[in-house]
Amino acid sequence: MINLKMGYRFNKQWQTTIDVLNLFNKQANDIEYWGGACTRNEATLGTGGCGGGSAIDGRPIHPLESRTIRLGLKVNF
C-alpha cells in the first residue's frame, strides 16, 4: 500500500497539506489473525460463545480502507 503526502508552507505561520491514503486503492487486509470470536449478544449476556468459554475459532480480518483524500491546514501562533 502506498500513501502520498504533499504540503506547502506559505510562511512561518500558515501551512497546508494533502494526504492520499491507499493511493492505488489496493484490496487487502490491514489486520488478519487467528483467534476466538463471539457475537455481541453472547459477550453481553454471558451465554455461549465468549461468556461460556467456548468462543468460535476463526480468522478475524479488517480490510484496508479504500482510497481516501485528507486536506489539512496548520496555523502557528
Side-chain angles (χ1 to χ4, degrees):
M1 184 181 69
I2 296 176
N3 298 325
L4 176 69
K5 181 171 190 161
M6 296 185 300
Y8 183 76
R9 186 181 309 256
F10 297 100
N11 53 41
K12 289 183 178 181
Q13 189 176 9
W14 293 86
Q15 177 182 344
T16 185
T17 58
I18 183 169
D19 295 291
V20 182
L21 308 174
N22 197 1
L23 181 64
F24 299 114
N25 206 23
K26 182 177 181 177
Q27 303 293 313
N29 293 331
D30 187 26
I31 297 173
E32 181 175 340
Y33 57 94
W34 182 263
C38 60
T39 66
R40 180 175 292 159
N41 286 340
E42 290 171 336
T44 304
L45 301 174
T47 60
C50 293
S54 58
I56 301 168
D57 285 332
R59 193 181 85 192
I61 61 171
H62 182 271
L64 286 174
E65 298 290 333
S66 59
R67 183 182 306 117
T68 304
I69 298 174
R70 181 170 49 196
L71 300 173
L73 178 64
K74 182 177 177 181
V75 181
N76 294 317
F77 54 92

